[in-house]
């Protein structure tokens, strides 16, 4: 068990790309930590730098209390699950799980015993003699996890652990992974491009873009108060509404409507108004943004309704099933109190209110 | 309709029978002629005898030449396989500019380097190095000619071993040696088996190089000796040639069966994800 600390960490590829850029990060002991971002944002490189598979160009990586920046991957006491699981196709499940012990030259019976015990705890009991090629995707993923936890590593690193599973299985594996992590209490860092996965699993999330962390916080913070428009756009299964607005003396002018201003910014400040579709409700005759219903998308228990506002901007809101307005009708949507966020028009940063 | 169909079937069958006979008759000759009391070039039911076998074993150079062949081809095979495996691994894992061009140029030149066109310079070079009549020298030249193709084939096998396998082993603390022995070699094994058989067969059938570089009849391999098996009248020595041909074909078949049984030519590759 150990915490991970990076200080001024940069990883620069030979072609000059700064995949990780001067990163300061602290991951607490036992924490389930997500690195979230679009592809190419440097999240996998950061994970690989923590593992030691990429050489840090500047800065340090500390695991536990030891500076591991120049340490060989095999001596960092980290375990890693790769995106393709990297199970050895010529070894059986038991041999795969016991491989870390074989490397450390543990006696054969001990290898077997650990493989059996680990496999049993990950419900792989009857599969020990199979080869990875004979397993389903979910079983392969569990074998990879079993191999990672078979040795007592301080840190568990997961690179897109769920992305190779089909949608249904992914949900099961997600629950399984979260329970396993809580049971083991091992410091876990996982990389994902799927915001729903990060929100569901992580204790804390770091949202990354071009090698830097855009926001660091609990899933609730990141979802409820995105630090900038990039994060606001990225997080949430339905994208956040980001509309141009102006602060006036009567309130916040946005999409042809005036909302109560949540801020004391000077008048005539141009802002980007952010509000999640989930935090908007239909308010017949109330104070809100009025628009014509242009599309209704069924999301199961709710529907995503898109309004076309008088000034041409589009506003999405979710409505409970059976409460969808008719297409073409004119409705008014009001944001929940305290859920309207203002972003700087230039920098996209959240303006505190 | 049925008549045309039947005629067509008969036509096909006759056509394939001719093709089959074309390949099968020499094999049948190889099986029967060695044990025939009066072996000819035609195919006939033999009146069984082992006299030809005895005559072949008495031939002063027949058995030595087979041993020479084994030494020569074994050497060429080992050199080719070991060097090609190392080169293929390096070329697959290290990014150097112009790598693919280098491989193709090598492949192209290899047919020139040990091809007929280069025989005179090779002979002169080997003569000056004092390697004429040397099994080792000849094996090196043969191996040199086979290396580019072997590297090319093996690199494809190594390319198919995902890097994540090695990285995974590295994270678990495996040393480079352990990674090679536990992960890379076992997965690339069918490729290596292919190269072992391929290089051995190539060297086994090579006539021109050993013919030019091994001038002494006591050091000549079987493929070269075959051509000297004539009697005093200048006609083919049909007591020795059939048995010798049979013996000559055995090692290749045995090697293939052994490698195929023991290592298999199937390929694990990556796991479909």
């Amino acid at each position: 068990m150990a915490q991970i600390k990076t200080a001024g960490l940069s990883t620069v590829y030979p072609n000059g790309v700064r995949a990780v850029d001067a990163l300061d990060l602290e991951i607490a002991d036992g924490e389930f930590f997500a690195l979230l971002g679009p592809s190419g944002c440097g999240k996998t490189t950061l994970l690989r730098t923590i593992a030691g598979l990429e050489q840090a160009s500047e800065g340090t990586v500390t695991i536990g209390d030891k500076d591991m920046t120049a340490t060989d991957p095999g001596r960092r006491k980290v375990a890693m699950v790769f995106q393709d699981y990297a199970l050895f196709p010529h070894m059986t499940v038991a041999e795969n799980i016991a491989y870390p012990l074989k490397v450390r030259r543990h006696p054969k019976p001990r290898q077997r015993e650990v493989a059996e015990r680990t496999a049993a705890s990950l419900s792989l009991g009857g599969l020990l003699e199979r080869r990875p090629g004979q397993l389903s995707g979910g079983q392969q993923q569990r074998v990879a996890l079993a191999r990672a936890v078979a040795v007592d590593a301080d840190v568990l690193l997961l690179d897109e652990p769920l992305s190779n599973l089909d949608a249904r299985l992914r949900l099961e594996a997600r629950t399984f992974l979260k329970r396993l992590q809580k049971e083991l209490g091992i410091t876990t860092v996982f990389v994902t491009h799927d915001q729903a996965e990060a929100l569901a699993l992580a204790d804390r999330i770091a949202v990354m873009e071009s090698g830097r962390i855009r926001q660091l916080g609990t899933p609730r913070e990141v979802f409820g108060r995105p630090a900038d428009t990039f994060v606001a756009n990225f997080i949430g299964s339905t994208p956040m509404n980001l509309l141009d607005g102006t602060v006036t003396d009567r309130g916040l002018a946005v999409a042809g409507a005036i909302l109560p201003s949540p801020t004391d910014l000077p008048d005539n400040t141009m802002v980007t108004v952010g509000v999640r579709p989930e935090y908007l409700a239909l308010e017949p005759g109330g104070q809100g943004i009025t628009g014509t219903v242009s599309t209704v998308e069924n999301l199961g228990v709710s529907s995503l309704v898109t309004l076309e506002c008088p000034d041409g901007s589009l506003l999405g809101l979710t409505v409970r099933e059976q409460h969808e307005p008719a297409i073409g009708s004119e409705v008014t949507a009001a944001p929940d109190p305290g859920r309207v966020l203002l972003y700087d028009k230039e920098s996209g940063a959240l303006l505190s209110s | 309709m049925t008549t045309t169909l039947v005629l067509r079937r008969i036509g096909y069958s006759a056509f394939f029978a001719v093709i089959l006979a074309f390949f099968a008759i020499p094999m049948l000759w190889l099986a029967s002629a060695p044990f025939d009391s009066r072996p000819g070039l035609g195919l006939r039911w033999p009146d069984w005898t082992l006299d030809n076998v005895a005559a072949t074993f008495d031939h002063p150079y027949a058995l030595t030449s087979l041993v020479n062949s084994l030494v020569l081809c074994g050497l060429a095979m080992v050199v080719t396989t070991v060097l090609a495996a190392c080169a293929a691994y390096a070329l697959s894992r290290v990014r150097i500019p112009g790598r693919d061009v280098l491989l193709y140029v090598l492949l192209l030149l290899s047919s020139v380097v040990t091809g007929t066109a280069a025989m005179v310079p090779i002979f002169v070079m080997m003569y000056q190095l004092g390697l004429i009549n040397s099994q080792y020298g000849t094996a090196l030249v043969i191996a040199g000619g086979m290396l580019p193709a072997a590297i090319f084939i093996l690199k494809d096998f190594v390319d198919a071993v995902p890097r994540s396998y090695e990285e995974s082993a590295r994270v678990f603390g495996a040393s480079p040696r352990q990674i090679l022995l536990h992960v890379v070699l076992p997965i690339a094994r069918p490729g290596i088996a292919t190269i072992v058989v391929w290089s051995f067969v190539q060297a086994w059938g090579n006539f021109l190089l050993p013919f030019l570089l091994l001038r002494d009849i006591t050091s000549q391999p079987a493929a070269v000796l075959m051509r000297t098996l004539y009697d005093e009248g200048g006609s083919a020595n049909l007591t020795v040639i059939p048995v010798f041909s049979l013996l000559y074909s055995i090692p290749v078949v045995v090697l293939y069966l052994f490698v195929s049984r023991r290592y298999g030519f199937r390929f694990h590759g990556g796991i479909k994800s």
Side-chain angles (χ1 to χ4, degrees):
Chain A
M1 303 302 116
Q3 87 257 31
I4 305 170
K5 209 183 287 180
T6 73
L9 185 70
S10 295
T11 307
V12 185
Y13 283 117
N15 58 11
V17 174
R18 293 183 79 83
V20 175
D21 197 3
L23 236 152
D24 297 308
L25 189 62
E26 262 183 64
I27 299 167
D29 185 12
E31 192 172 22
F32 202 168
F33 192 89
L35 295 171
L36 174 67
S39 52
C41 72
K43 56 191 191 297
T44 298
T45 307
L46 174 57
L47 191 82
R48 291 170 57 87
T49 312
I50 294 173
L53 292 169
E54 302 289 345
Q55 195 64 47
S57 315
E58 297 150 25
T60 57
V61 179
T62 315
I63 299 173
D65 297 322
K66 287 193 224 68
D67 182 355
M68 296 279 194
T69 316
T71 312
D72 226 37
R75 296 177 183 280
R76 294 190 181 202
K77 295 199 79 181
V78 299
M80 186 160 171
V81 173
F82 288 78
Q83 187 173 6
D84 62 356
Y85 311 139
L87 298 175
F88 306 129
H90 57 288
M91 297 183 190
T92 63
V93 167
E95 287 167 338
N96 264 294
I97 296 176
Y99 185 70
L101 288 95
K102 180 179 173 180
V103 167
R104 291 173 177 76
R105 301 207 165 78
H106 285 276
K108 277 258 161 62
R110 162 126 181 90
Q111 289 182 27
R112 182 75 201 177
E113 179 205 318
V114 169
E116 276 170 9
R117 183 159 42 79
T118 317
S121 68
L122 282 116
S123 28
L124 290 164
L127 306 172
L128 281 174
E129 302 314 318
R130 300 255 191 106
R131 286 186 196 276
Q134 300 165 301
L135 302 179
S136 72
Q139 289 166 337
Q140 289 181 15
Q141 193 234 18
R142 291 210 301 277
V143 175
L145 277 173
R147 183 173 63 178
V149 301
V151 276
D152 299 320
D154 287 343
V155 170
L156 181 60
L157 305 174
L158 310 170
D159 187 5
E160 305 256 2
L162 304 175
S163 66
N164 275 350
L165 303 175
D166 50 58
R168 173 95 215 149
L169 207 53
R170 197 175 303 172
L171 288 181
E172 280 173 34
R174 207 165 77 180
T175 316
F176 177 82
L177 195 60
K178 184 149 190 168
R179 205 185 63 215
L180 182 75
Q181 198 272 341
K182 288 289 166 260
E183 274 170 19
L184 296 172
I186 183 174
T187 313
T188 305
V189 184
F190 84 104
V191 157
T192 180
H193 62 266
D194 182 351
Q195 50 86 28
E197 211 173 283
L199 291 174
L201 284 173
D203 297 329
R204 276 198 308 156
I205 300 175
V207 184
M208 289 183 69
E209 197 216 359
S210 31
R212 289 169 177 276
I213 289 178
R214 303 298 292 258
Q215 186 170 6
L216 181 66
T218 64
R220 181 142 297 142
E221 287 164 9
V222 174
F223 183 82
R225 288 186 67 80
D228 57 26
T229 46
F230 170 80
V231 179
N233 245 324
F234 195 75
I235 301 273
S237 37
T238 50
M240 187 187 253
N241 295 299
L242 293 169
L243 306 169
D244 289 340
T246 317
V247 180
T248 68
D249 51 355
R250 290 176 299 141
L252 181 64
V254 56
I258 302 287
L259 298 178
S261 183
T263 148
D264 44 9
L265 286 169
D267 286 356
N268 293 326
T269 315
M270 305 283 279
V271 291
T272 301
V273 180
V275 57
R276 290 208 177 275
E278 293 86 351
Y279 296 148
L280 280 164
L282 288 177
E283 199 97 356
Q287 194 188 23
I289 301 170
T290 308
T292 317
V293 177
S294 65
T295 53
V296 176
E297 294 161 59
N298 197 326
L299 304 176
V301 72
S302 60
S303 290
L304 179 64
V305 176
T306 307
L307 302 185
E308 200 173 325
C309 300
D311 68 342
S313 52
L314 296 174
L315 182 78
L317 73 152
T318 51
V319 177
R320 287 197 43 182
E321 58 180 336
Q322 312 272 320
H323 289 77
E324 297 93 346
I327 289 178
S329 61
E330 192 158 285
V331 295
T332 303
D336 296 352
R339 291 301 190 179
V340 176
L341 301 169
L342 298 186
Y343 294 97
D344 189 283
K345 196 144 177 57
E346 300 294 312
S347 69
L350 181 65
L351 301 168
S352 58
S353 52
Chain B
M1 165 226 147
T2 40
T3 8
T4 46
L5 204 68
V6 168
L7 278 177
R8 189 182 288 174
R9 292 301 287 264
I10 292 176
Y12 272 131
S13 306
F15 176 70
F16 287 118
V18 168
I19 294 199
L20 185 68
F22 185 80
F23 287 101
I25 287 175
M27 295 289 154
L28 290 172
W29 179 84
L30 195 61
S32 65
F35 310 106
D36 195 340
S37 58
R38 282 179 296 111
L41 289 174
L43 183 63
R44 66 178 193 123
W45 186 254
D47 30 328
W48 300 99
T49 168
L50 287 176
D51 290 354
N52 299 334
V53 179
T56 308
F57 279 47
D58 287 340
H59 188 281
Y61 304 116
L63 290 184
T64 13
S65 79
L66 283 169
V67 173
N68 287 343
S69 270
L70 285 176
V71 172
L72 185 70
C73 300
L75 268 172
M77 177 193 85
V78 169
V79 171
T80 306
T81 310
V82 171
L83 293 186
C86 298
Y89 183 59
L91 282 170
S92 169
R93 291 302 189 241
V94 180
R95 288 229 139 266
I96 49 168
R99 177 187 65 178
D100 292 342
V101 176
L102 175 83
L103 266 175
Y104 280 108
V105 168
L106 267 181
L107 197 63
L108 188 71
L109 286 182
S110 70
S111 56
V112 178
V113 167
T114 49
T116 323
M119 280 307 142
V120 173
I122 286 181
F123 182 85
V124 172
M125 185 179 79
M126 295 299 276
Y127 182 77
Q128 287 173 350
L129 289 172
L131 287 174
I132 298 294
N133 283 334
S134 154
Q135 300 274 5
Y136 309 106
T138 312
L140 282 182
V141 176
I142 295 176
M146 295 191 296
L147 264 175
I151 293 171
F152 198 76
I153 296 170
L154 262 183
K155 183 182 160 286
D156 257 12
F157 276 93
V158 182
D159 278 346
V161 180
R163 261 195 133 108
S164 60
Y165 290 7
E166 290 164 59
E167 290 177 342
S168 181
R170 242 182 103 196
V171 172
F172 291 125
S175 64
R177 198 181 133 271
Q178 284 174 318
I179 293 174
L180 188 72
L181 291 181
H182 295 164
V183 180
V184 179
L185 277 184
I187 295 176
R189 200 166 68 176
I192 291 169
T194 307
I195 294 304
V196 163
V197 173
W198 175 82
S199 61
F200 190 85
V201 170
Q202 287 280 307
W204 192 256
N206 197 329
F207 169 78
L208 193 58
L209 271 173
F211 173 66
L212 291 174
L213 299 179
L214 298 169
R215 307 306 301 164
D216 183 2
I217 196 165
T218 54
S219 59
Q220 279 174 353
V224 176
L225 187 83
M226 188 86 86
R227 135 190 183 284
T228 65
L229 298 177
Y230 291 93
D231 57 22
E232 293 78 1
S235 57
N237 180 351
L238 284 175
T239 40
V240 177
I241 286 179
V243 180
F244 190 70
S245 305
L246 186 62
L247 291 174
Y248 178 63
S249 64
I250 286 172
V252 175
V253 176
V254 168
L255 179 73
Y256 174 81
L257 289 178
F258 172 74
V259 172
S260 170
R261 178 83 40 101
R262 179 84 173 71
Y263 299 105
F265 288 101
R266 68 198 181 283
F267 182 50
H268 291 297
I271 302 164
K272 181 183 167 287
S273 45

